[in-house]
Amino acid sequence: MALLPRVRRALLAAVVAAAVALPLAGAARPSDVPAPAPPAVAPLRADGGPDALAAALEGRYAAERAALREAARTAEEHGARLRAASLRAMAGADRRFLEFDGRDGGRSAEVVGDLARAERIAVLVPGADTGLDSYARFRAGAAALQRTLRQEFGARSAVVAWLGYRTPATGSAASLTPGRADRAAPRLRSFVEELARIRPGARITLLGHSYGSVVCARAAAGLPVAALVLYGSPGTGSDRAADLRTDAAVWTGRASGDWIADVPHLRVPLPAGGELGFGADPVEPGFGARRFAAGDGGHSDYLVPGSISLRNLARIVDGREPERA
């Protein structure tokens, strides 16, 4: 038992060292793989019913596939073979992207399921180390959640894998501060508000993993979502769930094998402004969130097929009560 305080002290020392180094280190440079500008697309409209929306979505998906293929050719010409291979897979005929921009490391939003008729919509926001080169892992999690919703509950559902920001690298200075989350939050807000506009009446759940939970917390105030799920979270930058200023049910979960439990929950002011760390632990009772059982997996295992964490996340998306921790 004496080991745990030593681990925490070591982590705290690392955090303080990062605070000193942060002004010098700065954020990691974005990928230098070039990509063409994305095509102009017409806004999606809610009028006309599901059939009209489905037709408009097919047009959007086709335009984004073409953009992905062009970005893959550009990456190949640049010699970025890993990026090109990933983009070619993303451009498959069965893939449905609402958004894609390959510049500055890449941004995307992919739909798994029938968005035009979905009564349950889950928006997944990833954490550190998620990008176009490692996109397949993120998409696999979205597909696993969609399969569980359909097979377990027969839900008319869609899962959106939202990679709408440049995620930090694990352990980097950027991963210890809310700067990227603050910049991502307006984009996420706009995206969720558009989903609510084109699918009025659908139950929308916002799910943030790891650093993605910081993004979701920063975007949460007033969003038209039924539930906000923070899992594998390092904190939100708020002391209480009430401080998120959302009417959504706030759920939180952490697997027993998740290393993020050992990250110090503190906020340290930085000399140049801003702060380091994310404050209160969302799974602690004092935070005020509802806690679901997340099993014994590791930090990247919450969406593993057949896991208790995946089943409980699906239950929350469907509006059901999950197994409590």
Side-chain angles (χ1 to χ4, degrees):
M1 296 298 292
L3 178 62
L4 185 57
R6 289 201 298 272
V7 171
R8 290 186 182 278
R9 284 196 297 271
L11 286 166
L12 178 58
V15 167
V16 173
V20 174
L22 184 62
L24 298 176
R29 293 177 60 85
S31 170
D32 61 356
V33 178
V41 293
L44 296 169
R45 300 174 60 87
D47 54 334
D51 290 342
L53 178 58
L57 284 169
E58 286 305 321
R60 173 72 67 86
Y61 299 153
E64 301 301 342
R65 282 189 207 105
L68 280 156
R69 289 193 293 268
E70 182 61 28
R73 285 192 289 270
T74 302
E76 188 73 49
E77 291 169 358
H78 186 71
R81 295 181 180 178
L82 178 62
R83 174 69 55 84
S86 180
L87 292 174
R88 283 195 296 269
M90 294 166 73
D94 61 338
R95 305 291 286 272
R96 302 178 177 92
F97 282 84
L98 283 171
E99 298 177 358
F100 172 74
D101 184 346
R103 300 172 298 177
D104 187 31
R107 312 286 187 272
S108 65
E110 182 177 9
V111 176
V112 182
D114 184 359
L115 181 59
R117 295 171 177 81
E119 297 171 354
R120 305 284 187 266
I121 302 173
V123 180
L124 293 181
V125 180
D129 301 321
T130 305
L132 296 182
D133 294 341
S134 59
Y135 182 79
R137 181 181 62 189
F138 180 40
R139 202 265 184 181
L145 179 57
Q146 172 64 4
R147 280 195 306 272
T148 303
L149 285 164
R150 187 179 66 250
Q151 294 171 0
E152 296 289 330
F153 311 121
R156 286 189 176 183
S157 58
V159 177
V160 182
W162 187 83
L163 180 58
Y165 77 113
R166 186 157 59 92
T167 67
T170 297
S172 67
S175 72
L176 301 173
T177 63
R180 292 199 187 181
D182 288 337
R183 292 190 291 273
R187 291 177 54 85
L188 179 58
R189 287 184 60 84
S190 178
F191 182 80
V192 172
E193 287 167 351
E194 181 181 33
L195 289 180
R197 178 176 56 79
I198 65 173
R199 288 298 301 136
R203 174 187 169 88
I204 301 176
T205 301
L206 186 58
L207 305 97
H209 173 241
S210 193
Y211 192 87
S213 69
V214 187
V215 178
C216 291
R218 291 301 211 257
L223 269 189
V225 297
L228 171 66
V229 189
L230 314 169
Y231 59 105
S233 175
T236 64
S238 297
D239 293 328
R240 301 174 303 156
D243 296 336
L244 301 179
R245 295 182 292 123
T246 177
D247 293 330
V250 180
W251 289 93
T252 185
R254 178 183 298 145
S256 62
D258 190 340
W259 57 260
I260 204 110
D262 291 325
V263 171
H265 291 282
L266 46 78
R267 292 202 297 260
V268 178
L270 294 173
E275 59 187 15
L276 192 77
F278 306 106
D281 188 346
V283 303
E284 289 298 320
F287 187 76
R290 310 176 192 187
R291 187 172 178 182
F292 67 91
D296 58 1
H299 188 62
S300 301
D301 297 334
Y302 291 91
L303 296 173
V304 168
S307 64
I308 186 173
S309 54
L310 176 60
R311 291 196 300 272
N312 279 330
L313 289 170
R315 292 185 71 85
I316 294 170
V317 171
D318 198 50
R320 300 170 186 257
E321 184 75 10
E323 181 181 339
R324 296 291 191 113

